[in-house]
Amino acid sequence: MRTMVKAAVAAVVVAVMAAVPVMAAEQKAAPAKTDRPGGTMVEATSFTATVDAIDSKKSLAEAIAHLSLTLGDGAMYGAGILPDPRDNTQYTIAFLGVPLPMAARENYLSPDMAKVREAYRTMVVKYHLIAGIPPAEAESRADTILAIESRVAAKQLTPEQARDPSLRLKPMSYAELKALVSNFDLDTFYQAMGLPVGHDVYVLDDGNVRERNAILADLPLSDIKVMLQWGLLLGAEPYLTPAFVEPTMEFNRVLYGNIDTPKREKLVAESIKRKLGHPLGRLYVDKYLTPKSKADAESLIAQIRAEFRLRLSNSAWLSAPTRAYAVEKLDKIDIKVGYPDQWIDYSGVDIRRDDYYGNMLRLAEFDTRRNLAKFGKPVSEDGFADPRATLPTVVNAAYSTGRNGIEIPAAFLQPPFYTPNADAAVNFCTLGAVIGHEITHGFDSSGRLYDAQGNVRDWWAPADTQAFVERSKNLVRQAEEFEVVPGTHLNGQLSSGENLADLGGLTLAYDALGKHLKAHPQENLEIDGLTPQQRCFAAWAQNWADKKQPGMLKQEALTDGHPPGIYRMFAPAQSVPGFYETYGIKAGDKMWLAPQDRVSIW
Ligand SMILES: [Zn+2]
């Protein structure tokens, strides 16, 4: 679903998922009813005609492969190339069932969300009417679509299960995959996609894949075609007539709250950022990334990493072998600041001034074919780990578990996360804390399951794992006690990685600031009546100042590991000893947490 532009901050990049291009929700496309000029009319008509012509298992598999190749999106099923999660020197194949338009499973299944489902159904009907489908047919299609999507929602992984790489990506032989999708002509799909039949594969969310296979057996082909046409329509609507905008916004308002309709030019500008992120990022970097900000970030990285190394070396609860390997993993984290080593060259894509939707299709096909062409070649890092989450123009930073690497895009190096010429306390506890946050992700409940090379491998002694889980319990419990909006609490397991990363980031930044002030005593001054330590916590809090509708907060609590800013602002501070010293907080004060309730891991 096209959501509002939101400032996703410091998200973890799950590289293996990001590397599958069909995961990008905007890479979809194409109903016939369009008045666009150029080749688009022909292309769009051919997509719907392809679906209409399906009359056998073989033609279904061929059509899905055709739509996947040319639209860049899986239609029901999809496949892409990614570095092998257990040996990331080799590329392998990922197979998946396409993600659902409404991300949160509760939207499909929970009795509380009946209004959301009703609004979604209304939107589905309106889209079909705009596309020229007669009213009765539009109503019946909407029922079919909602029934199919609800079945998949009930069987796909929950977001907290998806944090576990052994559940998210299951290695299978080709024969095992064939058995899993027994009602689908896999050989034909592979051949049409140009993938090697018989090769081992990783299945992304096998619950989704299995349920779609059951749907193929249970429903008539006409219903399967309705589902495929819906995928085409949903993918195309952002690039077609503005008539689609209001039905979308009516749904978004039920889901999120009272939000304004974004201006057309803003939506189009956003799509340029997403679809031509590298060429645009290059222009951005030339204009806005200064040598000073890059050098400041690199200096902070060195200081925060040194602080983490010291804490790991002194960590009393880890056994010596686990501790030694943790230091090795820390030292191997590869951190890129600003932009990728190599830019993706889009110069071969035909971009026309008068063909918005056609441009989107050609870019999607370029991205898909570029991904598929990687198979059999050495793994190369030609972009940031997630080509969309960490584009140079995105205000975000990310850790990639599959690469053991961190990316800090150029656009992140601006206030509030980095302020040129601000005093040290501010930049340590904003940019420095985010660097510490990302480094800590390599050692959180999910990141710790990957080794120093970024491969899925358990390098922990069993007693250390047990101690980690024990030490995380307060973190999980405290999150679950926090009510995001009335009736919805934080999901402790889902948010545990982010909460641990925030605690790590703030702890490392505060301690590194202390060392900096010792080395530069002339900077140990009050400014505006605040000590450097007080400015540190104030700057950290200002990082997370944001304003969101209650519905948005609820959707994020259901699907996203990132807690709301209001929680991130105070929760980690309550486990940092310096917070109590800085403000003289005592038992009985509102921010006081009893020592046994504080979290101490890294
Ligand atoms: Zn994070």
Side-chain angles (χ1 to χ4, degrees):
M1 184 49 45
R2 186 176 68 203
T3 56
M4 301 307 296
V5 182
K6 50 178 183 168
V9 179
V12 186
V13 171
V14 185
V16 286
M17 290 181 75
V20 182
V22 287
M23 296 301 292
E26 66 281 6
Q27 288 191 7
K28 293 187 178 177
K33 307 288 187 285
T34 160
D35 55 0
R36 303 286 135 166
T40 303
M41 185 66 170
V42 177
E43 284 159 347
T45 307
S46 88
F47 292 138
T48 43
T50 301
V51 173
D52 284 341
I54 297 168
D55 60 358
S56 64
K57 278 190 182 181
K58 191 170 162 46
S59 58
L60 174 68
E62 280 168 351
I64 290 176
H66 172 70
L67 299 179
S68 297
L69 279 172
T70 47
L71 307 180
D73 186 25
M76 188 166 79
Y77 286 132
I81 304 303
L82 78 169
D84 188 323
R86 283 169 179 77
D87 173 13
N88 59 16
T89 62
Q90 308 283 324
Y91 281 119
T92 189
I93 300 165
F95 185 88
L96 73 161
V98 299
L100 294 171
M102 290 197 291
R105 64 202 299 278
E106 287 81 358
N107 292 337
Y108 290 101
L109 306 173
S110 161
D112 308 346
M113 296 299 204
K115 273 203 174 128
V116 167
R117 282 192 291 284
E118 200 184 304
Y120 180 62
R121 192 185 172 284
T122 303
M123 183 183 79
V124 175
V125 170
K126 287 189 179 172
Y127 276 17
H128 281 93
L129 294 176
I130 295 167
I133 306 293
E137 172 68 14
E139 295 279 341
S140 122
R141 285 194 186 197
D143 290 336
T144 303
I145 288 158
L146 211 57
I148 291 175
E149 291 179 359
S150 300
R151 278 184 64 168
V152 176
K155 295 293 165 65
Q156 69 183 7
L157 291 180
T158 64
E160 59 268 33
Q161 286 169 332
R163 296 191 72 242
D164 180 342
S166 67
L167 293 176
R168 185 175 66 250
L169 276 161
K170 293 210 171 143
M172 286 188 196
S173 68
Y174 187 76
E176 285 168 325
L177 174 60
K178 239 179 134 160
L180 182 68
V181 294
S182 56
N183 302 313
F184 182 61
D185 185 348
L186 191 65
D187 290 347
T188 296
F189 174 74
Y190 261 56
Q191 280 153 4
M193 290 284 285
L195 292 167
V197 172
H199 198 278
D200 288 350
V201 63
Y202 279 85
V203 172
L204 187 63
D205 190 348
D206 62 331
N208 178 326
V209 171
R210 187 177 294 107
E211 188 60 15
R212 288 183 185 278
N213 185 56
I215 287 166
L216 280 176
D218 296 346
L219 299 185
L221 192 54
S222 54
D223 285 359
I224 305 299
K225 290 187 191 179
V226 164
M227 181 179 72
L228 295 179
Q229 298 285 18
W230 169 234
L232 291 176
L233 184 52
L234 192 58
E237 64 81 15
Y239 314 117
L240 299 179
T241 165
F244 285 110
V245 172
E246 264 320 302
T248 308
M249 291 308 298
E250 284 163 18
F251 169 68
N252 279 344
R253 286 183 193 113
V254 173
L255 192 63
Y256 299 130
N258 191 21
I259 43 183
D260 294 333
T261 303
K263 288 212 163 75
R264 186 91 173 147
E265 52 264 40
K266 188 172 175 186
L267 294 173
V268 173
E270 278 296 318
S271 82
I272 294 170
K273 196 160 104 176
R274 284 198 310 274
K275 293 289 191 177
L276 284 167
H278 274 225
L280 184 69
R282 212 167 166 170
L283 296 173
Y284 179 86
V285 165
D286 286 348
K287 191 157 182 191
Y288 295 107
L289 182 66
T290 65
K292 180 189 182 314
S293 55
K294 195 165 196 276
D296 280 357
E298 279 161 357
S299 157
L300 274 169
I301 288 165
Q303 292 173 79
I304 297 290
R305 197 199 298 253
E307 195 61 47
F308 202 157
R309 194 180 298 114
L310 186 69
R311 290 183 74 86
L312 275 179
S313 308
N314 294 336
S315 167
W317 61 276
L318 283 179
S319 67
T322 305
R323 192 185 316 140
Y325 193 82
V327 172
E328 190 184 327
K329 181 171 179 179
L330 171 71
D331 286 341
K332 284 223 166 90
I333 295 178
D334 170 45
I335 305 185
K336 293 186 206 291
V337 177
Y339 49 89
D341 294 339
Q342 280 187 21
W343 297 100
I344 300 172
D345 178 7
Y346 284 90
S347 59
V349 182
D350 178 16
I351 308 282
R352 299 177 201 163
R353 280 187 175 275
D354 61 351
D355 189 13
Y356 185 32
Y357 177 54
N359 291 337
M360 293 300 148
L361 292 179
R362 287 184 290 275
L363 287 166
E365 180 166 2
F366 173 84
D367 283 340
T368 309
R369 291 196 182 274
R370 189 175 167 278
N371 173 265
L372 292 173
K374 288 180 176 181
F375 188 78
K377 293 187 186 152
V379 171
S380 64
E381 284 178 16
D382 51 2
F384 276 16
D386 182 336
R388 288 191 170 73
T390 53
L391 287 170
T393 50
V394 173
V395 182
N396 203 345
Y399 173 78
S400 159
T401 50
R403 200 171 73 67
N404 192 29
I406 291 172
E407 284 131 21
I408 301 169
F412 195 71
L413 299 177
Q414 61 175 317
F417 297 102
Y418 161 76
T419 310
N421 310 320
D423 67 288
V426 169
N427 281 332
F428 269 81
C429 295
T430 51
L431 179 58
V434 171
I435 292 164
H437 171 108
E438 303 305 341
I439 291 177
T440 307
H441 270 318
F443 306 89
D444 76 15
S445 48
S446 179
R448 71 178 192 84
L449 303 171
Y450 294 76
D451 68 14
Q453 278 70 42
N455 290 318
V456 176
R457 185 171 70 81
D458 189 359
W459 46 273
W460 287 60
D464 294 325
T465 292
Q466 215 179 339
F468 178 90
V469 172
E470 200 53 44
R471 283 171 173 265
S472 306
K473 279 184 179 160
N474 278 338
L475 195 78
V476 172
R477 184 179 48 75
Q478 284 158 17
E480 279 171 358
E481 284 167 4
F482 184 76
E483 197 173 32
V484 180
V485 289
T488 302
H489 287 247
L490 268 183
N491 179 329
Q493 290 296 344
L494 178 60
S495 61
S496 64
E498 293 305 325
N499 288 326
L500 180 53
D502 276 349
L503 173 55
L506 186 56
T507 302
L508 294 168
Y510 180 86
D511 289 356
L513 171 65
K515 288 204 178 63
H516 175 87
L517 292 173
K518 261 193 192 145
H520 305 85
Q522 72 282 8
E523 292 182 31
N524 200 347
L525 312 160
E526 280 195 8
I527 300 178
D528 296 335
L530 299 176
T531 66
Q533 287 76 17
Q534 288 171 339
R535 294 198 301 279
C536 164
F537 287 107
W540 167 261
Q542 282 171 350
N543 262 352
W544 307 117
D546 62 10
K547 204 172 175 191
K548 288 178 181 170
Q549 291 285 350
M552 177 72 88
L553 291 170
K554 178 164 181 158
Q555 290 296 316
E556 289 181 350
L558 295 175
T559 57
D560 186 343
H562 296 86
I566 190 136
Y567 187 75
R568 305 183 76 169
M569 172 194 73
F570 75 88
Q574 284 184 299
S575 286
V576 177
F579 183 58
Y580 295 83
E581 291 154 22
T582 298
Y583 293 101
I585 299 164
K586 293 180 227 46
D589 290 345
K590 223 176 161 184
M591 283 285 114
W592 169 264
L593 209 56
Q596 70 272 17
D597 291 332
R598 296 177 199 168
V599 184
S600 168
I601 303 179
W602 300 122

